[in-house]
């Protein structure tokens, strides 16, 4: 077997080779739930314990695969870090009160911006204003959860810039605007249903807060009173943007996506360096910007990228054995695996598998209905877990730094299963 043949290598790997990946996922899920202080101090050591043995195995057995994964991780991290640095230097000032209507508007705007700035860029740009708008709320975790659903995932389904899997499809020959034409109806349907569900949940949460506030004050009569505007009596601050130098830098990062390696990474790193140099310190301070979220993501995803090498190779070698042939099959299998594996290589695996299925109307050698299903599964179902898409964990970390008590790994999945899975089932009946 040639050491650089990924299909043969994947076929030779035993199923137990995915145990480190499963162990790391369970650690990410269970440690913060049962031993949060231990996890906070030692999560880097846990990632090393699971990731280093796998990396050493591939260093000896298949160094090309390890090098390929290392380069993918470096590119992935440079993109995230540059967007995190630049968007953290953009301060959106203004008096916003986190009512159900305002929050829905932020989610809708974020869904649109995700196709221009990418899910990571849109998430980093809007999460802090959303948190400030809801700082007066007793219950704000659900607001962040739905933000992850819409802005960090589902929203980025219309352009190759929106989410990494779609960009890989563009590099494989999918026309740039095909995604917009093919995905606009599933995207609009999914966004409308998720934002609609959020409106109902947020209205209920606000009603409960009013009751709780009235009870705290010992005045039950206030429970039915109209909700007052936060900050009433204070001067309203008009909407404005500080740190405008970061706006063209953000466009540099977006444009750099189309450059080949290593120019892409060099341009992104340069833009981030200029942002760190030129953005006034007071802007980042007022934005409550710290480096901790990107540090946490860098460490966690280093372990995830290392331990998922066997899982992706086995999937690439044995994917045809799954019996995936219809659009519904491709939507759910691609989506389920994208919930826990990196959705970019998962997309490519099923993209290649679909090329062998055939069909009348093909796009880049893939039947158009199958490609639509693969694209939707990879992008939409990244919202199913915290590790389904990189912005998910970054948004969670930023929210927790701001004092929001976010759900655990399984707590978040309870939200995604309860809200998203019925919507995805309805999408399947209508579109796939």
């Amino acid at each position: 077997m040639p050491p650089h043949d990924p299909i043969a290598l994947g076929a030779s790997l035993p199923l137990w080779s995915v145990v480190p990946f499963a162990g790391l996922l369970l650690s990410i899920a269970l440690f913060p739930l049962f031993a949060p202080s231990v996890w906070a101090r030692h999560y880097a050591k846990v990632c090393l314990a699971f990731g280093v043995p796998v990396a050493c195995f591939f260093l000896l057995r298949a160094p090309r695969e390890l090098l390929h994964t290392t380069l993918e991780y470096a590119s992935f991290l440079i993109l995230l870090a540059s967007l995190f640095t630049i968007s953290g230097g953009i301060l959106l000032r203004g008096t916003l009160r986190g009512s159900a209507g305002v929050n829905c508007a932020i989610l809708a705007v974020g869904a649109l911006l995700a196709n221009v700035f990418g899910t990571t860029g849109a998430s980093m740009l809007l999460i802090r204003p959303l948190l400030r708008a809801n700082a007066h709320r007793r219950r704000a975790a659900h607001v962040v959860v739905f933000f992850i659903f819409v802005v960090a995932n589902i929203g980025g389904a219309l352009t190759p810039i929106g989410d990494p899997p779609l960009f890989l499809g563009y590099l494989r020959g999918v026309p740039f605007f095909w995604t917009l034409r093919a995905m606009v109806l599933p995207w609009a349907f999914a966004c409308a249903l998720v934002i609609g569900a959020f409106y109902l949940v947020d209205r209920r949460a606000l009603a409960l807060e009013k009751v709780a506030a009235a009870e705290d004050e010992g005045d039950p009569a206030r429970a039915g009173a109209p909700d007052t505007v936060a900050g009433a009596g204070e001067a309203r601050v008009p909407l404005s943007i500080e740190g405008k130098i970061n706006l063209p830098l953000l466009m540099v990062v977006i444009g750099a996506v189309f450059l080949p390696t290593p120019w892409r990474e060099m341009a992104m790193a340069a833009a981030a360096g200029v942002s760190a140099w030129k953005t006034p310190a007071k802007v980042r301070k007022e934005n409550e910007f710290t480096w901790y979220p990107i540090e946490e993501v860098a460490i966690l995803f280093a372990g995830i990228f290392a331990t998922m090498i066997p899982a992706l190779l086995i999937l690439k070698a044995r994917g045809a054995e799954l019996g995936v042939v219809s659009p519904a099959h491709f939507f759910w299998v691609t989506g389920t695996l994208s919930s826990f594996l990196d959705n970019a290589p998962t997309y490519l695996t099923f993209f290649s598998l679909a090329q062998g299925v055939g069909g009348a109307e093909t796009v880049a050698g893939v039947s158009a209905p199958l490609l639509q299903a693969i694209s939707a599964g990879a992008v939409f179902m990244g919202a199913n877990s915290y590790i389904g898409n990189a912005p998910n964990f970054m948004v969670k970390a930023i929210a927790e730094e701001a004092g929001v008590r976010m759900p655990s790994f399984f707590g978040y999945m309870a939200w995604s299963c309860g809200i998203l899975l019925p919507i995805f089932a309805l999408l399947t009946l209508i579109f796939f």
Side-chain angles (χ1 to χ4, degrees):
M1 178 193 70
H4 60 273
D5 184 353
I7 301 297
L9 179 59
S12 71
L13 291 173
L15 290 178
W16 57 258
S17 63
V18 303
V19 167
F21 179 64
L24 181 56
L25 292 192
L26 286 174
S27 298
I28 293 171
L30 298 178
F31 266 109
L33 188 61
F34 295 109
S37 60
V38 174
W39 177 252
R41 293 195 304 269
H42 301 295
Y43 72 91
K45 298 173 185 174
V46 174
C47 292
L48 281 173
F50 283 112
V52 169
V54 178
C56 290
F57 171 83
F58 281 95
L59 179 63
L60 297 174
R61 176 118 182 240
R64 287 196 182 188
E65 287 300 322
L66 181 61
L67 177 61
H68 177 72
T69 300
T70 302
L71 293 176
E72 276 193 343
Y73 170 75
S75 182
F76 161 87
L77 187 60
I78 290 170
L79 172 62
L80 289 186
S82 60
L83 289 171
F84 178 80
T85 302
I86 294 169
S87 60
I90 300 173
L91 174 62
L92 298 179
R93 282 203 184 96
T95 303
L96 281 178
R97 173 178 172 270
S99 65
V102 168
N103 288 335
C104 285
I106 293 175
L107 295 184
V109 170
L112 292 170
L113 290 181
N115 297 289
V116 180
F117 298 145
T119 53
T120 300
S123 296
M124 295 303 98
L125 185 64
L126 294 177
I127 183 57
R128 291 182 179 90
L130 181 73
L131 291 171
R132 285 195 293 269
N134 290 274
H136 65 286
R137 301 277 298 272
R138 297 187 182 190
R139 297 178 176 89
H142 68 284
V143 179
V144 182
V145 167
F146 276 87
F147 182 89
I148 293 173
F149 290 170
V150 177
V151 183
N153 290 277
I154 297 172
L158 294 183
T159 70
I161 298 173
D163 219 27
L166 303 183
F167 183 70
L168 293 181
Y170 169 73
L171 296 180
R172 291 293 181 95
V174 178
F176 189 91
F177 291 106
W178 180 88
T179 309
L180 177 61
R181 295 193 301 270
M183 293 299 297
V184 64
L185 290 180
W187 172 87
F189 189 81
C191 287
L193 287 181
V194 176
I195 294 174
F198 169 75
Y199 181 79
L200 298 177
V201 171
D202 204 34
R203 289 271 297 185
R204 175 62 177 166
L206 283 166
L208 292 174
E209 288 185 23
K210 288 164 61 179
V211 171
E215 290 176 350
D216 288 346
E217 294 180 16
D219 184 8
R222 291 194 59 197
D227 201 12
T228 56
V229 175
E234 298 179 3
R236 294 184 63 85
V237 178
L239 293 176
S240 62
I241 298 178
E242 289 286 333
K244 293 180 181 178
I245 188 175
N246 288 285
L247 294 176
L249 294 176
L250 197 59
M251 299 310 296
V252 169
V253 172
I254 294 167
V257 169
F258 298 95
L259 297 175
T261 299
W263 304 109
R264 175 174 61 233
E265 289 74 21
M266 291 172 62
M268 291 177 179
V274 172
S275 173
W277 176 35
K278 288 294 187 180
T279 302
K282 65 177 183 178
V283 171
R284 293 194 186 274
K285 183 177 181 180
E286 190 173 344
N287 226 0
E288 298 177 352
F289 177 90
T290 71
W291 295 105
Y292 175 76
I294 193 64
E295 291 173 4
E296 183 179 19
V297 167
I299 292 169
L300 289 175
F301 275 86
I304 290 171
F305 265 75
T307 56
M308 76 180 181
I309 298 174
L312 290 173
L313 287 171
I314 291 172
L315 179 62
K316 186 175 292 185
R318 306 178 187 178
E321 299 173 12
L322 297 174
V324 180
V325 292
S326 70
H329 292 163
F330 275 96
F331 175 63
W332 281 98
V333 175
T334 304
T336 301
L337 292 172
S338 293
S339 302
F340 303 100
L341 299 172
D342 184 4
N343 59 2
T346 302
Y347 171 96
L348 282 184
T349 297
F350 287 98
F351 183 95
S352 300
L353 183 62
Q355 287 179 323
V357 175
E361 181 188 349
T362 61
V363 179
V366 178
S367 168
L370 297 185
L371 184 56
Q372 183 191 43
I374 294 168
S375 302
V379 176
F380 291 177
M381 294 200 196
N384 285 346
S385 79
Y386 277 136
I387 64 171
N389 202 14
N392 301 5
F393 233 115
M394 295 176 71
V395 169
K396 174 181 180 289
I398 291 171
E400 287 177 335
E401 269 203 319
V404 178
R405 186 175 179 181
M406 291 295 293
S408 66
F409 187 90
F410 290 120
Y412 174 88
M413 288 192 65
W415 276 98
S416 66
C417 290
I419 299 294
L420 296 181
L421 293 189
I423 291 174
F424 294 154
L426 194 56
L427 280 172
T428 305
L429 292 174
I430 297 173
F431 297 104
F432 308 124

